[in-house]
Amino acid sequence: MKLSLFSLSAVAALALVLSPSPSSSLPALSKPLSVVTFDNHRVLRIQVDTEAELQTLTANEGALGLDYFTHNKVVGGHVDVRISPASYQKFQALDLKYTTLVENLQTVLDQERQEDQQYQQVFAAKLSLSKNSNKSLNVAVEGADVYAAADTWFQGYHTYADHQNWLATQIANNPSKASSISAGKTYQGKAQAGIKIGTGANHVVLHGTQHAREWISTMVVEYLIDQLLKGTDSRVAGYLTKYTFHIIPIMNPDGFVITQSSNRMHRKNAQTNGGCLGTDTNRNWGYKWNTGGSSTDPCADDYMGPSAFSSPEATNMANYLKSLPKVVSYIDFHSYSQLWMVPYGYSGTRPGTYTYMNGLAAKAVAALKAVNGVQFTNGDIYNTIYPASGNSADYAYSIGVTAPFAVELRDTGRYGFSLPAAQILPSGQETWAAFAAILDNIQA
Ligand SMILES: [Zn+2]
């Protein structure tokens, strides 16, 4: 999991060579884009029933190099972790209770990649056809008709370049409703690009992909954009006069590119810290930073960073939130676990307006379930789920955002971060219902 600077530059060069283009054939599966592979890495669900088990897990997680896929590391909870074959024998000797969710993670990733490649070939063919037939047209983005077609777009996952083209197309096609925004530049200088929709005095800020490997969050946030711009929901016109939406599909583009070029399981940003790659930006926000549920180990997946707001990605988003006059909701979309959470994460003491926020979350969960029968759980991060300090929702609440949420999308561990593309559309549809329930019930 440790990437040296040398291997990073090699990865960047490889990504350039292999970046998909409609005119070149896609790389075969025998030449994986991913430089880091996970052959015989298992995903285990560890049940923590006693204080002694919790201490055993905590005392050994660093040496075992556990990669926490979920973070409910409390007595009575369970965590999903990735473990290497080398560490698995040592782990078994600890005598903790666990079940095996995935026997060989690389098999899951290969299947995901195969599905991706088949879809990418169809998508590239459509783009190529569009470019050839529209050569004389002066369009903002080549292949704009393909990017604009929701029935194609939400059938699969996309490259970073295609996400940029998709966003540019939405903005170009909706000049009366939308304009482009950016929270700022990432560590590597990429824009944290998004779209502003609507004219209302009440501001709503959403983003996906703060954690790089949580790909469904990008697609669901884009689905919400699509619904606000051209959905058939009769309530939308009212939303666009009551609210102004600021939506950034990929909050952590540096990390997202890493998941597509070198390490599918990368979670953090691209800052180098003591030989390990990345800060967990969602433990780096400057409210009650370093007060529990985050790590000081630069190699840990929930590394908090050397100081609060040491990551430009969290700092930019915080400044963007602070620049708006009246933010009535903020939603930070993640995966996975099916949770709709409200502050606090740093403390079990509930905030003064907990009842209001959790009431909105309960309405969201009910509306979500009504679409496809999928059950989410709502509650405050600390009590319902896990302690996590330095997170975005706590920060948003601390600066006066009245209803901030942290959402964990599908699923509950069957596929984890590699949610099949067939679940993109239903995930988008149910999340739209949840989002609309919040918009209908916000006190503004
Ligand atoms: Zn996350």
Side-chain angles (χ1 to χ4, degrees):
M1 286 295 287
K2 293 182 186 178
L3 292 173
S4 69
L5 282 175
F6 169 77
S7 68
L8 271 178
S9 58
V11 161
L14 187 67
L16 274 178
V17 171
L18 296 181
S19 62
S21 100
S23 57
S24 67
S25 61
L26 287 154
L29 199 59
S30 56
K31 286 193 293 179
L33 276 171
S34 190
V35 173
V36 182
T37 53
F38 299 94
D39 291 308
N40 298 313
H41 284 230
R42 288 172 171 83
V43 181
L44 308 178
R45 177 160 293 175
I46 304 170
Q47 185 66 36
V48 182
D49 286 333
T50 66
E51 190 62 41
E53 288 171 351
L54 181 63
Q55 282 174 11
T56 299
L57 181 61
T58 303
N60 289 281
E61 63 193 12
L64 293 172
L66 298 182
D67 174 12
Y68 282 86
F69 281 14
T70 66
H71 290 79
N72 189 17
K73 203 179 81 178
V74 293
V75 174
H78 62 72
V79 287
D80 297 352
V81 301
R82 177 181 58 79
I83 186 165
S84 70
S87 292
Y88 183 58
Q89 304 298 330
K90 295 175 208 151
F91 170 80
Q92 284 179 302
L94 298 178
D95 209 22
L96 290 168
K97 290 190 286 292
Y98 71 95
T99 54
T100 303
L101 297 181
V102 176
E103 286 280 354
N104 181 355
L105 181 60
Q106 191 58 43
T107 306
V108 174
L109 299 184
D110 285 345
Q111 283 167 354
E112 177 188 53
R113 181 160 167 69
Q114 199 152 34
E115 188 186 341
D116 266 4
Q117 283 191 325
Q118 284 167 358
Y119 174 76
Q120 289 297 330
Q121 283 170 349
V122 173
F123 193 75
K126 287 191 180 195
L127 273 180
S128 179
L129 199 64
S130 164
K131 286 174 186 174
N132 286 332
S133 62
N134 292 322
K135 267 194 175 135
S136 59
L137 296 177
N138 183 19
V139 290
V141 177
E142 277 199 348
D145 54 331
V146 179
Y147 290 110
D151 56 348
T152 302
W153 182 258
F154 294 106
Q155 295 300 319
Y157 294 95
H158 295 274
T159 64
Y160 175 59
D162 278 340
H163 282 292
Q164 292 175 295
N165 287 335
W166 183 88
L167 193 62
T169 301
Q170 306 309 314
I171 293 162
N173 286 357
N174 297 278
S176 64
K177 289 183 193 167
S179 58
S180 72
I181 57 165
S182 172
K185 290 279 172 66
T186 65
Y187 177 67
Q188 294 180 331
K190 296 183 191 70
Q192 291 172 290
I195 186 170
K196 187 163 96 170
I197 307 170
T199 55
N202 305 289
H203 296 270
V204 174
V205 179
L206 316 177
H207 58 74
T209 333
Q210 177 163 204
H211 288 146
R213 61 192 174 188
E214 300 165 5
W215 286 2
I216 187 60
S217 69
T218 321
M219 300 304 301
V220 161
V221 166
E222 288 176 345
Y223 187 84
L224 302 183
I225 293 172
D226 182 72
Q227 289 301 299
L228 288 171
L229 290 176
K230 52 184 173 37
T232 55
D233 194 319
S234 59
R235 296 169 292 182
V236 165
Y239 296 156
L240 298 196
T241 54
K242 183 177 182 183
Y243 301 108
T244 300
F245 300 93
H246 309 253
I247 310 181
I248 295 176
I250 306 177
M251 187 272 205
N252 171 17
D254 292 355
F256 185 67
V257 168
I258 290 171
T259 66
Q260 295 192 325
S261 58
S262 60
N263 181 354
R264 176 67 183 90
M265 287 296 110
H266 190 70
R267 164 182 164 97
K268 301 183 282 183
N269 73 358
Q271 281 175 294
T272 46
N273 301 292
C276 281
L277 186 63
T279 294
D280 182 350
T281 60
N282 203 30
R283 299 292 184 278
N284 186 243
W285 294 63
Y287 178 72
K288 304 289 182 185
W289 177 82
N290 187 15
T291 56
S294 61
S295 178
T296 55
D297 175 2
C299 297
D301 57 282
D302 58 351
Y303 173 54
M304 65 177 78
S307 58
F309 283 137
S310 59
S311 71
E313 293 85 3
T315 308
N316 295 341
M317 278 309 310
N319 288 337
Y320 192 89
L321 278 172
K322 282 193 291 189
S323 76
L324 301 173
K326 184 187 179 192
V327 185
V328 294
S329 191
Y330 162 79
I331 310 181
D332 178 8
F333 285 98
H334 293 255
S335 75
Y336 59 92
S337 288
Q338 297 178 189
L339 307 167
W340 206 287
M341 300 181 282
V342 304
Y344 290 122
Y346 86 91
S347 163
T349 304
R350 283 174 168 162
T353 58
Y354 173 78
T355 304
Y356 168 64
M357 293 188 290
N358 196 43
L360 288 175
K363 285 191 165 69
V365 165
L368 188 149
K369 187 179 183 184
V371 177
N372 298 308
V374 174
Q375 183 70 59
F376 277 45
T377 302
N378 60 287
D380 57 325
I381 300 168
Y382 187 100
N383 284 302
T384 317
I385 324 296
Y386 49 78
S389 64
N391 74 81
S392 62
D394 282 8
Y395 178 86
Y397 190 73
S398 80
I399 61 164
V401 175
T402 44
F405 303 100
V407 174
E408 298 278 0
L409 296 166
R410 292 189 189 192
D411 54 10
T412 55
R414 167 72 178 83
Y415 295 101
F417 306 119
S418 299
L419 195 70
Q423 294 195 39
I424 293 171
L425 201 54
S427 292
Q429 288 163 339
E430 68 201 17
T431 309
W432 167 257
F435 184 48
I438 286 172
L439 296 178
D440 288 341
N441 288 285
I442 277 178
Q443 291 166 15

